[in-house]
Amino acid sequence: MTGKWNVSAVLLDMDGTLLDTEKVYFNSLVAALSASGYADDAIALCHAMVGLPGPACEAMLLDRYGNNFPLAEINRAFLANRDKFMEAGLPLKPGTLELLDGFAAANCPMAIVTSSSRRSAERNLSLAGIRSRFNTILTLDDVAHGKPSPDLYLLAASRLGLAPQVCVAVEDSNHGVTASHAAGAITIMVPDMAPPTDEARAKCAAVLPDLNAVLQTLRERSSLLHRPGK
């Protein structure tokens, strides 16, 4: 996209975008799979899951390993590993607070749009200390189909009373980019665990190195962050 962007709100992915959780999830699942004897392709399979909701990841595991795969056992090990990693708290991605401060100062409408469950979203945002920043949170529990379906982004824009075309979506994963682009949002990707595919890159208005660059780009490309405070 060239020229100025017509932007009225920002829709933010959570895991891997604002919160540095994708590595926690990735390492927790790889460890669970490896401990149960599924080490050979665990890393490649877990990379393919980045950005997908839990049920889709479970379906991938069953498809890869068959119906005799000990899904319940792996889930228990994954959760135990995850909780151990999170004991020390949940770190934010670089630039998260600066980005949210910029939106708050400009009275910019924003929403969380996450593939996580409502319970996980509430827990993670609270652990990271930013739950109070958001009035609008859309989770997997709110739609029939999670990312890469556009449903979450369409619902988020509707909740804000806006068309998706005047919303900027900030995503870290290829699956998330597919979802936001299909909804019609102006999509910015800040890659986390996986680099953008050529297909995902083509769907983005910008691919940026971090959230500080997102803030700077929005200041340059839209009037969104130049509104006077109320």
Side-chain angles (χ1 to χ4, degrees), residues 56-125:
C57 295
E58 292 181 353
M60 288 179 67
L61 289 168
L62 292 173
D63 183 62
R64 173 65 183 85
Y65 298 119
N67 290 329
N68 292 326
F69 178 73
L71 184 60
E73 177 184 328
I74 295 297
N75 273 336
R76 284 193 295 270
F78 164 76
L79 292 173
N81 293 336
R82 182 204 66 188
D83 291 346
K84 184 176 180 181
F85 280 124
M86 289 185 175
E87 282 177 359
L90 195 52
L92 298 169
K93 298 290 288 186
T96 292
L97 293 180
E98 291 82 356
L99 187 70
L100 298 182
D101 285 345
F103 294 152
N107 298 301
C108 169
M110 59 181 175
I112 289 287
V113 184
T114 177
S115 289
S116 293
S117 67
R118 172 70 56 175
R119 180 179 179 181
S120 292
E122 293 285 351
R123 181 197 64 232
N124 288 358
L125 291 169

Side-chain angles (χ1 to χ4, degrees), residues 152-202:
L152 274 168
Y153 277 104
L154 292 171
L155 182 58
S158 176
R159 288 280 178 86
L160 294 178
L162 297 167
Q165 290 76 13
V166 295
C167 297
V168 162
V170 184
E171 275 283 354
D172 72 290
S173 73
N174 293 301
H175 295 300
V177 165
T178 297
S180 58
H181 180 267
I186 301 166
T187 302
I188 295 176
M189 185 178 188
V190 180
D192 181 36
M193 290 289 295
T197 62
D198 290 341
E199 181 181 4
R201 190 178 289 275

